[in-house]
Amino acid sequence: MTVAAPICVARIGAAHGVRGAVKLWAFTADPLAVQHYGPLTTKDGARQFELMHVRAAKDHLVATLKGVATREDAERLNGIELYVPREKLPATDDDEYYHADLIGLAAVTSADAPLGRVIAIHDFGAGTIIEIAPPQGATMLLPFTNAVVPTVDLAGGRVVIELPAEIDGDDPAAP
C-alpha cells in the first residue's frame, strides 16, 4: 500500500504583532478551511502546529499557533510550509484537481509528442496557469483551460496540451 504524500495547505509568513501571531498564506479554495484540518505538520512530519485562532486579513490570514507566544518565536517560523494528510482533504469534483496531483505529470501534445513535465500551477488572479518544463530551454506558461489542457489523465500520469497557435513573446526569427 502506497502512502499518499501530504498536501501543502499553507505557508507561515512574517510575525504579526508582538504576541506571537503570524501571517498565514493559505493555499485552499476557502482560506479559512485550514483551521478545520486538525494539526498541520512540516512536510517531513517532524514538527506539528495547532492553529488556536485564525482570522482573515487583507490578502492573508492572521493565526495564533499553540505554544507560540512571542514575536521572536513567530519570526523563527517564517517560511515554514504546512501540510495535512491527503485523506483529511475533501474529494475533488470531476475536472477539479489538487495542484499536488498535477505536479510531475508528463505533458504531451494531442499527437502524444512529449513536451515536458508539469512543474507548477500558478494563480496570480487572472486565471490558472500551468507551467511546463521541456527537456531543454525555457519553461512554458500556458492557461490552464479546457481549450489548452483538454485532458488530465491522472491514472496515465499525463496531461494533454493543445499549444496555442501563437504564444505571446514567441519570435520564430529570434536566435
Side-chain angles (χ1 to χ4, degrees):
M1 180 174 142
T2 303
V3 176
I7 305 293
C8 183
V9 294
R11 180 180 43 80
I12 298 174
H16 181 85
V18 296
R19 294 191 176 116
V22 295
K23 291 182 179 180
L24 190 67
W25 304 96
F27 307 135
T28 52
D30 172 11
L32 291 171
V34 298
Q35 64 189 326
H36 303 297
Y37 297 133
L40 307 174
T41 65
T42 52
K43 188 171 189 175
D44 62 5
R47 295 180 73 185
Q48 181 172 299
F49 300 91
E50 187 176 336
L51 298 175
M52 301 303 293
H53 177 70
V54 179
R55 69 175 173 84
K58 189 187 303 185
D59 59 351
H60 59 279
L61 301 174
V62 174
T64 54
L65 306 171
K66 185 175 185 177
V68 179
T70 68
R71 181 174 184 84
E72 291 73 26
D73 291 342
E75 286 171 343
R76 286 192 283 277
L77 302 176
N78 191 357
I80 292 178
E81 292 182 331
L82 301 174
Y83 291 78
V84 296
R86 169 92 188 201
E87 59 272 9
K88 292 207 176 206
L89 298 174
T92 57
D93 291 331
D94 292 340
D95 291 336
E96 184 180 70
Y97 312 95
Y98 286 114
H99 292 187
D101 293 338
L102 301 172
I103 307 299
L105 293 182
V108 299
T109 66
S110 55
D112 214 29
L115 290 172
R117 291 225 167 259
V118 177
I119 61 167
I121 306 294
H122 305 285
D123 190 342
F124 302 114
T128 306
I129 295 174
I130 188 169
E131 185 171 3
I132 310 291
Q136 299 160 348
T139 63
M140 293 181 277
L141 297 172
L142 301 167
F144 191 14
T145 62
N146 288 334
V148 176
V149 188
T151 304
V152 174
D153 180 5
L154 294 177
R158 69 188 195 128
V159 294
V160 175
I161 304 292
E162 291 285 344
L163 288 173
E166 178 182 314
I167 298 175
D168 192 30
D170 272 359
D171 181 359

